[in-house]
Amino acid sequence: MVSIAIIDYGMGNLRSVAKALEHVAPRTRVLVTQNRRDILHADRVVFPGQGSIRDCMRELVRWDLVDVVREAALGKPFLGLCLGPQALLSFSEENGGIDGLDVLPGRVVWFGDLRDPASGERLKVPHMGWNQVHQLCDHPLWQGISQDSRFYFVHSYYLQPADSALAAGQTWYGFDFASAIARDNIFAVQFHPEKSAQAGLRLLANFTDWNP
Amino acid sequence: MALAKRIIPCLDVDRGRVVKGVKFVEIRDAGDPVEIARRYDAEGADELTFLDITASSDDRETLVHVVEQVASEVFIPLTVGGGIRALDDVRRMLNAGADKVSINTAAIARPEFVREAAERFGNQCIVVAIDAKAVHQPAEPPRWEIFTHGGRRPTGIDAVEWARRMNAYGAGEILLTSMDRDGTKRGFDLDLTRAISEAVSIPVIASGGVGTLDHLADGILLGKADAVLAASIFHFAEYTIEQAKHHMRARGIEMRL
């Protein structure tokens, strides 16, 4: 039986992620786990996260999972969600500046005081709600999802990959930012597919079928 | 291409059952929260809010099971409010599958609770609910105060200042209800909504008074709200969420359709 490990390092509730994966792949074993061996032996790995990047990095160290995440990101189908992709980059501005896992080169930057360039109106932060994702490449995880579909976002910091070729999707919130990044076996999204109704479920289903 | 404004139906839950009656034609059990949640999801609701109005705390545990069931079937954001008084209440709801909790009375009793909850669980899951009522005389500049106990008890707290403070304490969003308009079907208090929305940097959900689809659009266009919450116009199937979204889009609002 194919297994998917959702890495549980105490950052946010993972029940919804697990339920959504079970929903799209009923014959898959979905594990919510902090066990190193479970994660390394799983066929696929999901790296989620919620809260602040400082707590996220601290908990990864405390659970002794830093090298496990790095190793999983090297080989098997690997899906980062929300804070997950932020932790994969080199550095985040949050909490006065925190080093990330540096699996992908890039920075995480605060939205700051945003204005709509056309109307001059203030854009609220967190960026919260359903926004469009413009697919920048053909990728197996976008299969069956219409161009510019809406996904559910909630975040105050955004991904700024060092190499723009890493961006697999972009979203406009006062400017265009990378809302999905991809390289080899890694696909990571700033939004919450587990809370994004049909489009989100389709992306998760694509992940369970993906063989990079 | 832009962020869509949200429509959030609100379900009042008493001892695990939705009250206020829902008159969907195809629904067999109008009180079953799971069935109603599924229906709203199918109609295109952007989020769902469950408000626990259970009087006794002994019966509160039932809502946890409701949230668990809904979260295993409906994959859109869920907010739970009513009786959230301690970090443990927040944790229990999030573990059950809620994405956000809304804090009302407990924030007034001890504002630090909002800061603690935001630090522990992240700003994104802390909604502060504000029940406000106009207290100015007709000729005076507008002023609103926070009221508790269903709008019966004044607190002396200025609503705009309170919203700013909750923003500073780490709230991720504000759910603003006009106690003057709640249940009247006369539309949102647009001056109040705009005053709060312009005072804070976080999203504001307008609530209280919706009777027509134009009221929803006015809340966004004139009240500057980021989302609109309504109960009765959807519960009694006067309008579907889909109709509401088409109407709002026709008035120039970015919607998820």
Side-chain angles (χ1 to χ4, degrees):
Chain A
M1 196 183 214
V2 174
S3 64
I4 301 178
I6 303 173
I7 302 176
D8 179 12
Y9 54 109
M11 295 303 289
N13 156 51
L14 306 177
R15 187 186 164 87
S16 301
V17 180
K19 286 287 166 197
L21 282 167
E22 284 165 5
H23 186 85
V24 297
R27 292 197 305 193
T28 301
R29 199 158 76 100
V30 177
L31 296 162
V32 176
T33 179
Q34 60 279 101
N35 182 295
R36 294 168 56 92
R37 221 180 37 196
D38 283 351
I39 297 166
L40 290 172
H41 286 172
D43 298 296
R44 295 165 192 279
V45 169
V46 176
F47 181 45
Q50 256 177 28
S52 79
I53 193 75
R54 179 189 53 214
D55 295 349
C56 165
M57 295 307 295
R58 191 193 58 212
E59 292 305 293
L60 282 175
V61 170
R62 195 165 74 87
W63 289 100
D64 193 19
L65 289 172
V66 170
D67 58 325
V68 174
V69 174
R70 284 210 176 101
E71 192 176 329
L74 274 180
K76 50 189 91 183
F78 187 95
L79 179 65
L81 304 177
C82 195
L83 195 62
Q86 298 194 3
L88 291 179
L89 294 190
S90 325
F91 176 81
S92 171
E93 276 186 0
E94 198 181 355
N95 305 123
I98 300 281
D99 285 332
L101 294 168
D102 202 23
V103 167
L104 299 171
R107 297 163 64 83
V108 180
V109 182
W110 187 46
F111 271 125
D113 292 316
L114 275 183
R115 301 253 159 206
D116 185 318
S119 66
E121 276 189 34
R122 167 146 61 171
L123 296 172
K124 301 295 184 72
V125 176
H127 169 228
M128 186 187 286
W130 298 79
N131 207 337
Q132 288 172 292
V133 175
H134 188 73
Q135 300 162 18
L136 296 169
C137 57
D138 273 331
H139 193 285
L141 265 74
W142 292 137
Q143 203 192 333
I145 299 170
S146 312
Q147 180 61 293
D148 299 326
S149 286
R150 289 185 187 275
F151 291 87
Y152 187 80
F153 287 83
V154 48
H155 61 124
S156 302
Y157 291 79
Y158 65 94
L159 307 169
Q160 204 177 64
D163 178 358
S164 61
L166 289 174
Q170 71 181 23
T171 294
W172 190 89
Y173 197 54
F175 59 95
D176 286 318
F177 68 90
S179 48
I181 52 180
R183 192 185 69 193
D184 307 327
N185 60 309
I186 301 173
F187 197 87
V189 295
Q190 181 62 68
F191 50 83
H192 289 267
E194 79 282 9
K195 288 290 165 182
S196 296
Q198 289 314 313
L201 293 176
R202 181 63 202 249
L203 188 139
L204 292 175
N206 290 343
F207 174 67
T208 65
D209 291 337
W210 183 32
N211 291 303
Chain B
M1 198 159 140
L3 181 66
K5 301 296 179 182
R6 291 168 279 155
I7 295 188
I8 308 172
C10 177
L11 307 166
D12 286 354
V13 180
D14 185 9
R15 284 166 289 176
R17 303 280 296 167
V18 175
V19 294
K20 277 191 183 172
V22 178
K23 292 185 182 162
F24 289 135
V25 203
E26 312 94 282
I27 273 189
R28 282 159 293 150
D29 179 356
D32 177 14
V34 182
E35 201 169 351
I36 295 163
R38 222 187 277 136
R39 173 58 189 259
Y40 281 140
D41 174 34
E43 278 186 9
D46 296 308
E47 296 185 25
L48 295 173
T49 290
F50 291 92
L51 189 61
D52 191 3
I53 59 165
T54 307
S56 141
S57 55
D58 295 346
D59 294 323
R60 283 256 155 73
E61 208 51 36
T62 17
L63 189 68
V64 174
H65 301 304
V66 167
V67 173
E68 278 175 0
Q69 277 179 283
V70 172
S72 344
E73 290 189 43
V74 175
F75 300 100
I76 57 175
L78 308 176
T79 302
V80 179
I84 306 288
R85 296 199 170 80
L87 291 178
D88 224 37
D89 298 326
V90 181
R91 188 190 336 268
R92 202 172 324 123
M93 286 307 172
L94 297 180
N95 284 342
D99 300 280
K100 314 181 209 179
V101 294
S102 110
I103 302 173
N104 190 342
T105 326
I108 294 160
R110 203 173 69 82
E112 284 298 321
F113 173 48
V114 171
R115 199 197 294 271
E116 291 160 13
E119 275 176 13
R120 176 66 192 84
F121 302 104
N123 312 39
Q124 81 289 338
C125 62
I126 304 301
V127 182
V128 170
I130 297 179
D131 293 344
K133 224 170 168 172
V135 290
H136 54 275
Q137 299 302 314
E140 291 174 354
R143 211 176 80 77
W144 299 268
E145 241 179 57
I146 309 282
F147 279 68
T148 60
H149 298 78
R152 292 190 307 277
R153 195 176 295 180
T155 63
I157 303 168
D158 181 82
V160 176
E161 270 170 41
W162 178 249
R164 275 205 196 97
R165 189 171 169 200
M166 291 296 99
N167 186 169
Y169 277 30
E173 195 172 34
I174 283 171
L175 167 56
L176 174 67
T177 305
S178 160
M179 299 312 284
D180 297 309
R181 295 300 178 89
D182 203 28
T184 65
K185 301 207 159 224
R186 287 169 51 221
F188 297 121
D189 181 337
L190 297 172
D191 293 331
L192 166 68
T193 307
R194 192 172 49 247
I196 300 278
S197 189
E198 287 177 350
V200 297
S201 61
I202 52 179
V204 172
I205 306 165
S207 153
V210 175
T212 70
L213 299 184
D214 273 320
H215 290 157
L216 295 172
D218 291 343
I220 303 285
L221 296 171
L222 305 173
K224 305 285 175 202
D226 301 280
V228 286
L229 179 136
S232 58
I233 67 159
F234 299 129
H235 289 340
F236 298 110
E238 290 166 44
Y239 301 101
T240 66
I241 288 165
E242 210 176 348
Q243 281 175 311
K245 286 189 154 182
H246 281 288
H247 185 86
M248 290 168 79
R249 176 179 272 188
R251 286 195 53 189
I253 301 169
E254 188 83 25
M255 302 299 296
R256 164 185 165 248
L257 277 165

